[in-house]
């Protein structure tokens, strides 16, 4: 992996391996641990700009950052109303963040149906207005989007240029159309066309589950860096491999994640969340199907700790 810094409008990321914003997964503890493994940048889960304006407690909780987090603070906002985006970007809750990323790639029907996420790739004027509204906060702004909503409506290069012209300091391109969700081949050519269309940094996203995947993505697209998404859910230690850091003791990593998730979010959340994460971490292991079934049936924190102690990750 060819590591180098990334200049995001004067904000310098220490390397070009980023952790994607993952709804339901990239909470404060997971971001902290991935940052320690070497991620040059981590993002919060996507946060509703409108929810922030209405003082939603759940929305505010998504923006929590651990006191020991030493990396660049980046949050991801989503919405379709420029006024809500402007107010959210200028809010007290977003004030601690160095970078605001705008989600223009989420394929989920509810988000798409509200004119948010990937639906914004069908409305260039609104997408531009949202970027300009966020930029009015005085912070750096990035945009994450896909190649289009369908193979018949691919607009990657044009949308990339729109983002740059509207003031974006960086873009991330997920190399699939909205209809593909997270399946199918990554379109390297479309990411390369986005890279050729702009002068701001371009981060490539999609299909990174090992170091070879990351290398190929960079080689085929000419992108400035990579963003790891589901690969980090299954193997967060992939971050260490890509950044050349010592691999963690996996069992100790999972145990610590449980410790800190329990301390921060409480027993109920920690049990449900860490059963799910531990099950992800065993994917591909011999007998992993039966092991995941046992993990997901743990009904107490002590039982989960015991399972972790006797599981190979």
């Amino acid at each position: 992996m060819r590591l180098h810094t990334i200049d995001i409008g004067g904000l310098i990321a220490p390397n070009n391996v980023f952790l994607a914003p993952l709804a339901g997964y990239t909470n404060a503890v997971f971001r902290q641990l991935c940052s320690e493994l070497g991620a040059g940048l981590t993002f919060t889960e996507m946060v509703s700009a409108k929810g922030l304006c209405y003082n939603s407690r759940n929305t505010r909780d998504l923006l929590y950052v651990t006191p020991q987090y030493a990396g660049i603070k980046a949050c991801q906002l989503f919405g379709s109303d420029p006024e809500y985006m402007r107010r959210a970007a200028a809010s007290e809750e977003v004030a601690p963040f160095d970078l605001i990323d705008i989600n223009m790639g989420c394929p989920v029907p509810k988000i798409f149906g509200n004119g948010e996420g990937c639906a914004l790739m069908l409305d260039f004027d609104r997408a531009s207005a949202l970027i300009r509204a966020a930029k009015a906060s005085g912070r750096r702004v990035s945009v994450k989007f896909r190649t289009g909503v369908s193979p018949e409506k691919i607009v990657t290069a044009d949308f990339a240029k729109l983002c740059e012209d509207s003031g974006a300091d960086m873009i991330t391109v997920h190399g699939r159309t909205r209809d593909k969700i997270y399946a199918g081949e990554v379109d390297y050519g479309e990411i390369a066309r986005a890279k050729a269309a702009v002068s701001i940094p371009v981060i490539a996203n999609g299909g990174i589950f090992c170091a070879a995947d990351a290398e190929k993505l960079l080689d085929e697209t000419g992108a400035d860096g990579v963003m790891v998404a589901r690969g980090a859910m299954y193997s967060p230690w992939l971050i260490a491999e890509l950044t050349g850091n010592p691999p963690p003791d996996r069992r100790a990593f999972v145990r610590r994640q449980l410790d800190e998730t329990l301390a921060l979010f409480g027993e109920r959340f920690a049990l449900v969340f860490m059963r799910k994460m531990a099950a992800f971490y065993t994917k591909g292991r011999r007998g992993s199907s039966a092991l995941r079934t046992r993990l997901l049936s743990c009904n107490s924190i002590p039982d989960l700790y015991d399972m972790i102690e006797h599981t190979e990750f």
Side-chain angles (χ1 to χ4, degrees):
M1 178 75 192
R2 298 176 299 282
L3 297 175
H4 56 79
T5 60
I6 298 280
D7 185 337
I8 310 168
L11 183 69
I12 307 300
N15 65 53
N16 55 337
V17 177
F18 297 169
L19 173 69
L22 296 164
Y25 298 99
T26 51
N27 58 45
V29 172
F30 192 63
R31 298 196 311 274
Q32 170 68 40
L33 293 173
C34 287
S35 178
E36 291 178 13
L37 291 175
L41 192 57
T42 72
F43 294 83
T44 68
E45 302 173 56
M46 67 177 190
V47 171
S48 167
K50 187 174 183 178
L52 269 177
C53 294
Y54 281 95
N55 208 30
S56 163
R57 178 176 179 178
N58 179 60
T59 298
R60 293 197 311 271
D61 288 347
L62 294 175
L63 293 173
Y64 181 78
V65 179
T66 59
Q68 64 269 38
Y69 184 86
I72 294 170
K73 297 181 179 69
C75 68
Q76 189 185 67
L77 301 180
F78 75 95
S80 61
D81 187 315
E83 177 58 19
Y84 282 130
M85 185 62 69
R86 182 195 66 78
R87 289 169 54 191
S91 68
E92 181 180 344
E93 289 82 6
V94 172
F97 290 89
D98 308 298
L99 175 67
I100 296 171
D101 186 72
I102 304 177
N103 184 313
M104 297 191 183
C106 181
V108 173
K110 180 179 179 181
I111 300 293
F112 187 84
N114 286 337
E116 302 164 332
C118 201
L120 291 162
M121 299 193 73
L122 297 172
D123 190 340
F124 277 38
D125 289 343
R126 185 174 295 272
S128 176
L130 287 166
I131 296 167
R132 295 178 190 278
K135 283 292 290 185
S137 68
R139 286 179 192 76
R140 285 88 170 181
V141 171
S142 61
V143 183
K144 187 172 187 288
F145 59 93
R146 289 174 174 253
T147 57
V149 298
S150 69
E152 298 74 34
K153 296 181 179 179
I154 289 179
V155 293
T156 325
D158 289 341
F159 201 78
K161 190 73 174 103
L162 169 106
C163 291
E164 181 178 46
D165 290 346
S166 302
D169 299 290
M170 180 180 77
I171 58 173
T172 299
V173 184
H174 181 166
R176 297 184 178 97
T177 49
R178 184 242 172 183
D179 60 306
K180 297 294 192 296
I181 310 296
Y182 304 110
E185 295 296 319
V186 173
D187 193 331
Y188 301 116
E190 282 302 313
I191 300 176
R193 279 185 271 280
K195 173 61 181 171
V198 298
S199 59
I200 56 177
V202 175
I203 307 302
N205 171 230
I208 301 174
F209 295 95
C210 65
D213 293 335
E215 291 283 2
K216 183 175 182 180
L217 196 54
L218 287 178
D219 289 343
E220 297 286 341
T221 66
D224 300 288
V226 296
M227 182 175 282
V228 185
R230 288 177 299 145
M233 285 166 47
Y234 297 128
S235 304
W237 26 88
L238 173 60
I239 299 288
E241 181 181 356
L242 294 178
T243 56
N245 284 303
D249 178 293
R250 296 183 182 185
R251 185 176 291 115
F253 177 97
V254 180
R255 189 167 52 237
R256 181 182 166 199
Q257 188 179 9
L258 176 54
D259 290 343
E260 297 190 8
T261 302
L262 179 62
L264 184 57
F265 297 108
E267 185 170 331
R268 183 176 178 181
F269 177 89
L271 181 60
V272 174
F273 180 74
M274 286 305 302
R275 284 189 313 200
K276 178 173 60 176
M277 296 308 296
F280 279 138
Y281 299 158
T282 62
K283 185 177 176 63
R285 297 282 180 182
R286 187 171 61 181
S288 61
S289 179
L291 178 58
R292 286 197 299 275
T293 298
R294 295 201 305 275
L295 279 166
L296 292 171
S297 66
C298 281
N299 57 17
S300 72
I301 292 293
D303 284 349
L304 187 53
Y305 272 115
D306 185 65
M307 279 290 296
I308 289 171
E309 289 305 313
H310 295 90
T311 297
E312 181 181 355
F313 295 100

